[in-house]
Amino acid sequence: MTPSSKANAAASPVADRYARPLQDLRISLTDRCNFRCTYCMPRELFGSEHLFLPRRELLDFEEIERLARIAASLGVSKLRLTGGEPLLRRDIDVLIARLADIDGIDDICLTTNGSLLTEQRARELKAAGVNRVTLSLDAIDDDVFKAINDVGYPASKVLTAIDNAKAAGLTPVKVNCVVQRGVNEDQILPMAEYFRHSDVVLRFIEFMDVGTSNGWRMEEVVTAREIVETIRTRHAISRLPANVAGETANRWVYDDGAGEIGIIASVSQPFCGGCTRARLSAIGELYTCLFGVHGRDLRTPLRSGASDDELRGLLSGIWAARDDRYSEQRGEETAHRRGDADGKVEMSYIGG
């Protein structure tokens, strides 16, 4: 089915209190991950005693498809499948094929750590309907990367997964690198060097205060400006305009034609004003901000017999009432909120 034939003429776009439309839905398929990255799922909190969600509590594929279809009727055109590690979800290809058949959905992306992205898996994802993938790689040096993921997984194997994605046509492939002071800021230049001339879009991400488990401190943030200055010690780069409104990454291009890089600067350069993303947790809670504290339960009405119209009204009402702009309010208020007994939702719970 071509994108033009999938245009959803019946879509009724909904906007929030700042006139931001709902265009993107990020769907977490599981809270489980086979890595224990220190900034996301530190082993001391997500060790062998940690209780993950039982399977019966996860949204099943029919429920996910139904909510995605309703979201598409409200203007969503892009889906991103996340986790945890989404490739841990059994029979994910079945779900992807269902999502790809929804009128109005013209872009399905998947974010993965790459550990399960074999050549065959990449081809299966492409055949099912995934357009492109983003892989996480926080260092090009094996020892540094092993220390960050805390399971001894080498960067070299993620690089193989990147090649598998490219060969399968899951392009443009993007690589996310979270930069944390004192941990991997010395990897900025090596990462940049490796992905020059590769057709892979490397994106550096400022260390963010998502959740309460990563021990976030402002002094550990390597800012976008510092990242740009570091790259400019070796290569001339220039700023590019955004491809689309609400794009998360600032785009930069090498002046010598070696490709593009991105920098996600939600700490030092907030972009709340253009945020069009909602996030659906693995158990059906809808979050309207990555830094949210409370989600809205959609699973209960789903399983209690709510009609599509009722669910559409619920989802539309949640978005219409949205006034989130956490990153723009960061500062003294951040320190205050971190004392909240409820805490903020963890990255591993709703994806990035």
Side-chain angles (χ1 to χ4, degrees), residues 69-256:
R69 194 177 299 277
I70 290 169
S73 74
L74 294 173
V76 166
S77 60
K78 174 181 173 183
L79 303 177
R80 180 177 292 277
L81 305 181
T82 69
E85 171 48 53
L87 293 183
L88 289 173
R89 186 74 185 257
R90 186 178 302 173
D91 297 324
I92 187 177
D93 307 29
V94 175
L95 172 64
I96 292 166
R98 291 183 177 184
L99 297 177
D101 199 41
I102 295 175
D103 286 348
I105 299 300
D106 55 29
D107 190 16
I108 298 178
C109 316
L110 183 140
T111 299
T112 175
N113 61 30
S115 62
L116 302 174
L117 193 62
T118 62
E119 289 184 49
Q120 179 178 346
R121 202 72 178 115
R123 290 195 297 268
E124 290 171 348
L125 291 173
K126 181 66 175 180
V130 174
N131 299 98
R132 52 198 175 86
V133 296
T134 297
L135 293 98
S136 300
L137 180 63
D138 299 312
I140 203 73
D141 179 271
D142 271 347
D143 291 336
V144 176
F145 186 59
K146 287 178 181 179
I148 293 173
N149 65 58
D150 202 19
V151 294
Y153 198 82
S156 55
K157 288 190 176 182
V158 180
L159 298 178
T160 298
I162 292 170
D163 289 339
N164 293 340
K166 291 172 65 176
L170 294 168
T171 55
V173 175
K174 295 181 181 179
V175 171
N176 285 347
C177 176
V178 175
V179 185
Q180 186 176 358
R181 195 179 308 281
V183 176
N184 65 335
E185 73 267 40
D186 63 345
Q187 294 295 295
I188 295 173
L189 281 175
M191 288 282 287
E193 290 295 341
Y194 185 88
F195 289 106
R196 278 168 49 82
H197 300 290
S198 69
D199 295 325
V200 170
V201 179
L202 173 62
R203 305 196 303 179
F204 294 106
I205 303 176
E206 293 180 343
F207 178 46
M208 294 183 290
D209 50 328
V210 177
T212 57
S213 67
N214 67 7
W216 183 86
R217 296 184 301 168
M218 184 65 198
E219 55 264 34
E220 294 179 345
V221 177
V222 180
T223 66
R225 176 175 292 183
E226 292 176 274
I227 293 170
V228 168
E229 290 175 349
T230 298
I231 296 172
R232 280 178 167 166
T233 63
R234 190 168 299 175
H235 300 289
I237 58 175
S238 300
R239 183 74 179 269
L240 289 175
N243 278 319
V244 293
E247 196 168 46
T248 58
N250 296 328
R251 299 174 61 217
W252 294 81
V253 65
Y254 290 104
D255 291 356
D256 63 1

Side-chain angles (χ1 to χ4, degrees), residues 281-301:
S281 78
I283 60 171
E285 293 176 333
L286 188 75
Y287 288 83
T288 55
C289 180
L290 175 60
F291 304 95
V293 175
H294 301 293
R296 293 288 300 274
D297 176 22
L298 298 181
R299 187 185 64 185
T300 296

